[in-house]
Amino acid sequence: MIHSLFLVNATGDIFLEKHWKSVVSRSVCDYFFEAQERATEPENIPPVIPTPHHYLISVLRHRIYFVAVIQSEVPPLFVIEFLHRVVDTFQDYFGVCTEAAIKDNVVVVYELLEEMLDNGFPLATESNILKELIKPPTILRTVVNTITGSTNVGEQLPTGQLSVVPWRRTGVKYTNNEAYFDVVEEIDAIIDKSGSTITAEIQGVIDACVKLTGMPDLTLSFMNPRLLDDVSFHPCVRFKRWEAERILSFIPPDGNFRLLSYHVSSQNLVAIPVYVKHNITFREGSSQGRFDLTLGPKQTMGKAVESVLVSSQLPRGVLNTSLNPSQGTYTFDPVTKLLSWDVGKINPQKLPSLKGTMSLQAGASKPDENPTINIQFKIQQLAISGLKVNRLDMYGEKYKPFKGIKYMTKAGKFQVRT
Amino acid sequence: VKKREIFELKAELNSDKKEKKKEAVKKVIASMTVGKDVSALFPDVVNCMQTDNLELKKLVYLYLMNYAKSQPDMAIMAVNTFVKDCEDPNPLIRALAVRTMGCIRVDKITEYLCEPLRKCLKDEDPYVRKTAAVCVAKLHDINAQLVEDQGFLDTLKDLISDSNPMVVANAVAALSEIAESHPNSNLLDLNPQTINKLLTALNECTEWGQIFILDCLANYTPRDDRESQSICERVTPRLSHANSAVVLSAVKVLMKFMEMLPKDLDYYGTLLKKLAPPLVTLLSAEPELQYVALRNINLIVQKRPEILKHEMKVFFVKYNDPIYVKLEKLDIMIRLASQANIAQVLAELKEYATEVDVDFVRKAVRAIGRCAIKVEQSAERCVSTLLDLIQTKVNYVVQEAIVVIKDIFRKYPNKYESVIATLCENLDSLDEPEARAAMIWIVGEYAERIDNADELLESFLEGFHDESTQVQLQLLTAIVKLFLKKPTETQELVQQVLSLATQDSDNPDLRDRGYIYWRLLSTDPVAAKEVVLAEKPLISEETDLIEPTLLDELICHIGTLASVYHKPPSAFVEGGRGVQHKRLPARAGSGESAESPDVGQAVSAVSDAPPAVIPSQGDLLGDLLNLDLAPPTSNVPPVPSSMQMGAMDLLGGGLDSLVGLQCSSLMVSSVLGGAPVGMPAGLGAAPAVGGGLGDLFDLGGGVGVTAGSYIPPKTVWLPAMKAKGLEISGTFARRSGVIHMDLSFTNKAMSVMTDFAIQFNKNSFGLAPAGPLQVLTPLSPNQTVDVSLPLSTTGPVMKMEPLNNLQVAVKNNIDVFYFSCQYPISLLFVEDGKMDRQVFLATWKDIPSENEAQFQIKDCHLNSDAASNKLQGSNIFTVAKRTVDTQDMLYQSVKLTNGIWMLAELRIQTGNPNSTLSVKCRAPEVSQYVYQCYELILRN
């Protein structure tokens, strides 16, 4: 099981260590640092590193490496999922997951880690339960605690810990009962030179914020549940009911949680909401290259494409650029060769464009690589897969909750090859 | 830590004020977490332990766990408080105490731990019980003997039946961890009852508990395929879990248990379909998760390519994927490449070859070469793609391309040599040893086609001593090859390289090879030619597949480190801890009684067949035989043909390995090994009877053969690729009552083939060659010879799957090759298969109706007479015909060489192309093959 955890910052300092079994010397991290030196980019460090006596499994989040040490055969995904849970918990408790936040709250961090894992076995990882055991630090509570001498550690066994609904605590009370659901879809796509789609798929999630009194039992149904053939559920969802009726039936956790995530594969027809016209050329023997890029909307069901950000890693030979955006601002970093253009909203009547020249090193040969264009965007009030919630009902409680459903589509890894 | 700081903390810890104490402990903990040594404060911190404040208690416990080991004597001070806390009315405190005690890794303390732990394992509160379960594992790690002596392992086993799922999960986790250090201890003794309990707990426990339970389930071997299916059904919902580790553990259980399900079961197909989406979903997760998932998918696509064969696109590389994800995706893309998607794959690979990352580009170029070797139809496109890439003149791309083109030459000799000229243009830009060696190999191998081969090789020779060993060895061989091909012009060159290699080099490998060549060339140039220019074995894509037994073991370890490293756990688990090799369950192994209906009956039918056919001689069949033929034939002795014995010797070793090969493959293992062991003896008599009958009839009734039987066209049975250039195609025919195997041998290799011989494996109907294989003249390259081999049905009998499968070994002067083919069962329909009308009627009624099988024959535009004639040509005889309205009903009979009768009713509706066939037989597993023959004969 998980032996120890080291937190390492970007400069390679270990700023926190926690051992759940015997102490493992921090020199074991030297193997990690070696791998770090070899990797060209911070994210290229292999997730599993073998050492003579241990294995190091690491994730990089918020520029902190979470390095877990294991000694025996343990499923790596188990370790990685646990590390993700640690990151999520820190973020949940401190608002941000940074070195400074962790250092400021080092005792709470220690208490949390101790509560999350026992002898390497996960103990309590649900945010609802942890919060009953260890109260998150707030400025107010720190003040109150110092005056009254009370503590931020719960004295009672968390109620959800052993019930059949371990994700929900009992005795929840709200004056305003509300349930919000956000359907958020990310579209991953690779578009080739000629503008045709090589692959496109949608990763969707339904994130919920449920603040309802008591033990509400919710059902959520869809207009077109057929779209959801590849889904992962929060443990609260009753799987049998979904299999039989394609209805989500669940007693929700209290507060924020991810109800389900789904995947619409490339075998379905995925609508591509933007197109790019590009002309990036270099000529042999010339020290100038042409750069010409135009963006336009398509298949957006009439919704506006917003927060558009275009970025591209230009070839190493490019010294500088002189470009003219029709809207928004652009920057080019001559060191990293990263071009980034903050477009904003696409106006279908006046398509945004970025045109101009790139200067190359004099006498250098024509670059071999073709830059890929990365596009980010958002479309409000649209789930690009066409997924629509039909109705949301509540059983088990008498009051009438306020219900809301929001849709949004974002670009995930949306890449255009040139 | 500075002394002053310690001093201050000490004072604060001993303060009277609670709040100050707590703050001080917090400061101590904070120092501890950043690695400062605060062990000097041990007694002062332990003094704070007796408190009602839970937070303070927890903090002190944290400190204790960290430093107890370095201060064992002091740690004893804490024991009393622990024992007291284990009796606390608050379950949280009881659990906390038992949890912390286990973490104090001090031998002296463990003795005091046992009593409180025993109580906690039986605590009324499940929260305490589940914590105590983990504590047993902790204690075992410190003092295994103590745990065994105290009987904690038995208590832990009892907890598997606990009413609370979380307790069950933790008990399983603890037992699994303990079992890891005792591989043979049988701690997790899984039986159907415990499995049921685990499956129940699986639905209700936390995600982590689900992982422990699934991993434990994966170690179980179900009794039969029904149990296996029912476990699969209950595990499948886990594929939709949000936690990817749960998903992968569930995949492991399903992949393993699936092995036991019969492939023709509907559920098997359903399961295959259900496995794809969760695997694809794992690829949209964070890169680290993707990496682990991809390493596992790599195994899964090798084991069961059908699962992901339509999902190629999800493995396409995004340019900002981390390099370790890119490389894995590439590998899987090649594994999934097939004729259907090769165009897409090649387009992608070409795109990757222009990326920035050098390592990735190299691997992409190599991938193109692997595609060429894997998908034969695409080889040409791959080569032209590689040529395009060479034109880019990007140095490392060119070098990589040359390395893979060398492999393509080896795979498809004499096909793409036209590109050599282009390769030679790039000679100067090669600076990597591997690329240089590859280029030199090409020049040497095709020296006779390259006009200036000597000049090219000579240019390499100039800097001979600066080259790496790889290049030196290759250069030596290439020049010797050149000399053997063009001896007149290259004498000087070969002298030069031999002296460079033997006299001026201190590399023993190089010197040895040099001397060997030298001696060969000087003593026996002909032998030298045979050695140096020997035919090379063809390479195939299998070279980079994981070896099957290792693959099967790794499939049992899906989701673990072993699956990430593609090595068995025994290869990297710390010394002392032995590891059991896991194996996939055998499909038919336990399933004899409960296999799918078809297979199950087929298996039992083989052993039942003799009693079903032979004793019935007394009644119906016997009557018939006696009617038609005066002498009873049951005393015809089985005649083992002497020819066959001889052939057996010839190919004995080969055949053994053929059978051995089959035994080691999972599907058949125990059917072959177990059930039919006693069978051949029993069956031996049956075919002999039939065979003898057949012979008798040949004498008398050979004249009756009128219309020719249908002979399927020849198909390729053994492609040249698999048989070092020998291609065998063939078909079967029944001519004048004798079964013939019509074979065409084509020599696609470069050298002459001689000494052909053939041998069959035991098969369902005892087919065996009735004479030696007559390939009289040596087969020269590109020559084809047709041979017709008469077959007898007196050979040894063994049930095959499918029934009409025939495994053949062919030997020539080069090697022994194995292939299998399927013969139409109509081959075995004998000429005296027409039954008397009365007997037909009686027999039809006598055969139980559950032996009746019905089939549809579609798109057959024959009327009943034409059909009847056509069928008669293949010895399917119409006994009677009846017409009702527009429907003709033909009653037909067929007899197999082993004496089995088959009765059929064929209903043909005028104007309707679809007819219905009902077949009745005492050995119903033959029915579907008879149907296949009907279809074949009627449609052709």
Side-chain angles (χ1 to χ4, degrees), chain B residues 109-128:
Chain B
I109 290 193
T110 48
E111 300 163 28
Y112 298 97
L113 232 160
C114 295
E115 278 324 298
L117 176 59
R118 200 186 312 282
K119 267 184 213 154
C120 287
L121 280 167
K122 303 225 158 97
D123 199 286
E124 52 168 20
D125 197 303
Y127 183 72
V128 181

Side-chain angles (χ1 to χ4, degrees), chain B residues 338-340 342 371-382 412 415-416:
Chain B
S338 67
Q339 204 185 343
I342 192 73
C371 281
I373 288 162
K374 182 167 183 210
V375 187
E376 188 166 2
Q377 296 83 351
S378 75
E380 196 148 348
R381 291 169 78 163
C382 296
Y412 308 107
K415 230 174 149 185
Y416 298 110

